[in-house]
């Protein structure tokens, strides 16, 4: 999903007016995107004069870190090295499965063109 870098947003409201599904509102002087309603048209990104609406890819490091922190929180439930290794193996399989789902979804989407 597109997201707003609050330190770049001046609260001008241009993106609010341009969003075709009213998925953007202003809160405390900055734009806020409602991920549930956003249809990913990209208009907000194109019209923002401050480059405040950012691409998903900039969030990759944060999302990776969130996954690692999630795994670390789960590890705290296991005491032995063997149990912890088994959990990490299961989590790796889980992420591999997710990766395959996403890769195949991308292939299917491309075939829709
Ligand atoms: S167009 Fe850009 S600067 Fe203006 S409110 Fe939207 S995100 Fe903020
Ligand atoms: S990507 Fe489109 S639908 Fe989503 S918030 Fe931006 S303008 Fe609205």
């Amino acid at each position: 999903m597109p997201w707003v870098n609050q330190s770049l947003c001046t609260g001008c409201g241009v993106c609010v007016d341009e969003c075709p599904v009213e998925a953007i509102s202003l809160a405390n002087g900055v734009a806020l995107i409602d991920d549930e309603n956003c249809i990913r048209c990209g208009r907000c990104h194109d019209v923002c004069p401050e480059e405040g609406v950012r691409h998903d890819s900039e969030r990759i490091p944060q999302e990776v870190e969130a996954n690692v922190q999630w795994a670390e929180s789960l590890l705290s439930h296991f005491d032995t090295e063997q149990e912890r290794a088994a959990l990490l193996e299961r989590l790796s399989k889980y992420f591999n499965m997710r990766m395959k789902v996403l890769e195949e979804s991308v292939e299917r989407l491309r075939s829709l063109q």
Side-chain angles (χ1 to χ4, degrees), residues 23-44:
I24 312 177
S25 57
L26 290 178
N28 298 320
V30 292
L32 189 67
I33 295 174
D34 176 357
D35 288 349
E36 293 292 317
N37 290 325
C38 171
I39 59 168
R40 304 189 60 89
C41 67
R43 268 192 221 174
C44 52

Side-chain angles (χ1 to χ4, degrees), residues 10-83:
T10 59
C12 69
V14 170
C15 60
V16 177
D17 294 338
E18 286 292 326
C19 178
V21 292
E22 299 182 359
I24 312 177
S25 57
L26 290 178
N28 298 320
V30 292
L32 189 67
I33 295 174
D34 176 357
D35 288 349
E36 293 292 317
N37 290 325
C38 171
I39 59 168
R40 304 189 60 89
C41 67
R43 268 192 221 174
C44 52
H45 178 265
D46 295 341
V47 298
C48 178
E50 308 294 337
E51 299 190 353
V53 183
R54 312 302 303 176
H55 287 296
D56 286 350
S57 57
E58 292 180 35
R59 280 184 158 171
I60 290 173
Q62 283 170 266
E63 294 202 15
V64 170
E65 188 57 33
N67 286 335
V68 172
Q69 284 183 13
W70 175 62
E72 284 177 341
S73 72
L74 298 184
L75 280 172
S76 66
H77 295 286
F78 298 89
D79 296 325
T80 70
E81 205 170 304
Q82 195 177 18
E83 287 173 326

